[in-house]
């Protein structure tokens, strides 16, 4: 459900060969506007300019652990709801989260055998304002005893992210085992839906600048994400996550958007 994560805008855009890959860059404001770069703070491809740039890429050093933050705040400053949908017992189970926050670390690396540049990271996500259109149902965190915790909140398990071997995508999955998140449904008119539920597996998103986009069609086509504890029910997610980092190379005192570039060796 993401997830994720977490760490998302570190994925490749247009990796084309085994020796190509992703290196995460901080989108840094220039002291003076000019030259090539980007016109806006999230350094999306659409905002690249040949002159008069206000922002530029600064590469995050290889092997340097970098603190990151994640949210569903768009490049324009508004928040975009995050959606999860699957079926259970023939019943469509849709969820909407109005807020997503997350934290973790990431680093750039190089595969010693192939020379592929890639990014990897770890972190957790919290979904807030979570509701479902199922009659009477409320969503809550799941306690260790399988009971009702915080209403409208879902916390993920630790997640790992990587762009290694993913082409133009970022893959997010649970660290150990494949359990992404557990939650609780309560008050449902259909009493069979009440109780503990979960999301398992992995999902891929595609970045544009510092924003990673997930679509329901793409995630269900992957058939790698499942909902409903103990069953096999294809799940899909829809939404975007924005990733920022405290880059030690430029001071590391505040979170700034990070975006990817493809490196050829």
């Amino acid at each position: 459900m993401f997830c994720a994560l977490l760490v998302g805008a570190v994925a490749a855009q247009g990796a084309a060969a085994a020796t190509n890959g992703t290196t995460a860059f901080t989108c840094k404001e220039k002291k003076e506007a000019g030259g090539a770069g980007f016109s806006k703070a999230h350094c999306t491809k659409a905002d690249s300019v040949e002159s008069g740039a206000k922002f530029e890429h600064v590469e995050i050093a290889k092997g340097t652990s970098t603190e990151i933050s994640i949210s569903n705040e768009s490049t324009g400053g508004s928040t975009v709801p995050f959606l999860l949908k699957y079926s259970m017992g023939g019943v469509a189970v849709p969820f909407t989260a109005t807020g997503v926050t997350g934290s973790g670390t990431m680093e750039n690396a190089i595969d010693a055998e192939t020379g592929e540049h890639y990014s990897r990271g770890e972190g957790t996500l919290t979904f807030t304002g979570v509701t479902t259109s199922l009659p009477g149902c409320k969503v809550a965190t799941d306690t260790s005893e399988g009971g009702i915790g915080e209403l409208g909140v879902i916390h993920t398990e630790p997640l790992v992210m990587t762009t290694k071997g993913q082409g133009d995508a970022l893959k997010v999955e649970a660290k150990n085992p494949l359990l992404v998140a557990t939650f609780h449904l309560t008050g449902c008119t259909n009493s069979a839906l009440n109780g503990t539920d979960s999301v398992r597996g992995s999902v891929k998103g595609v970045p544009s600048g510092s924003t990673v986009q997930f679509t329901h069609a793409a995630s269900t086509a992957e058939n790698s994400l499942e909902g409903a504890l103990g069953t096999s029910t294809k799940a899909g997610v829809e939404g975007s996550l924005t990733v920022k980092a405290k880059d030690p190379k430029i001071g590391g005192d505040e979170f700034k958007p990070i975006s990817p570039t493809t490196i050829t060796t």
Side-chain angles (χ1 to χ4, degrees):
M1 183 163 178
F2 294 32
C3 168
L5 136 238
L6 240 160
V7 183
V10 294
Q13 297 180 61
T19 54
N20 286 356
T22 301
T23 297
F25 279 66
T26 299
C27 190
K28 177 180 177 292
E29 186 173 6
K30 288 188 171 186
K31 291 182 178 180
E32 295 183 7
F38 302 87
S39 61
K40 297 181 181 179
H42 289 251
C43 291
T44 66
K45 185 177 181 180
D47 295 326
S48 62
V49 294
E50 293 299 322
S51 62
K54 296 180 180 179
F55 298 87
E56 62 184 345
H57 273 161
V58 176
E59 184 178 358
I60 298 175
K62 299 290 189 296
T64 299
S65 181
T66 305
E67 184 181 358
I68 62 168
S69 70
I70 301 168
S71 74
N72 63 327
E73 181 180 339
S74 71
T75 54
S78 60
T79 55
V80 180
F82 205 89
L83 311 177
L84 166 72
K85 184 178 180 181
Y86 62 90
S87 295
M88 183 165 61
V91 178
V93 185
F95 299 89
T96 300
T98 57
V100 186
T101 57
S103 62
T105 60
M106 61 76 61
E107 66 176 0
N108 287 326
I110 302 177
D111 186 281
E113 294 184 0
T114 66
E116 178 189 3
H117 292 246
Y118 67 98
S119 294
R120 59 191 176 196
E122 295 187 12
T124 57
L125 294 174
T126 295
F127 297 86
T128 56
V130 183
T131 58
T132 177
S133 58
L134 293 170
C137 288
K138 293 183 179 180
V139 185
T141 56
D142 189 61
T143 67
S144 57
E145 297 80 20
I148 302 170
E150 303 168 86
L151 286 175
V153 178
I154 296 176
H155 301 288
T156 70
E157 298 294 321
L159 304 170
V160 292
M161 300 74 63
T162 186
T163 62
K164 186 177 181 180
Q166 301 303 315
D168 64 350
L170 169 73
K171 182 179 182 179
V172 184
E173 62 185 346
K175 184 175 182 179
N176 186 31
L178 294 180
L179 182 62
V180 173
T182 302
F183 54 93
H184 199 94
L185 287 176
T186 184
C188 297
T189 302
N190 181 350
S191 60
L193 297 175
N194 292 324
T196 299
D197 206 344
S198 70
V199 178
R200 298 171 179 269
S202 64
V203 68
K204 294 181 182 180
V206 177
S208 175
S210 61
T211 299
V212 183
Q213 184 69 46
F214 301 86
T215 67
H216 188 271
S219 55
T220 52
E222 282 288 328
N223 197 23
S224 59
L225 191 67
E226 297 179 349
L229 190 62
T231 66
S232 179
T233 58
K234 184 188 297 187
V237 295
E238 183 94 22
S240 60
L241 297 174
T242 296
V243 184
K244 297 182 179 181
K246 287 186 175 181
D247 185 353
K249 190 172 183 179
I250 61 173
D253 54 345
E254 63 178 294
F255 287 104
K256 295 182 179 295
I258 57 174
S259 63
T261 189
T262 298
I263 300 296
T264 302
T265 57

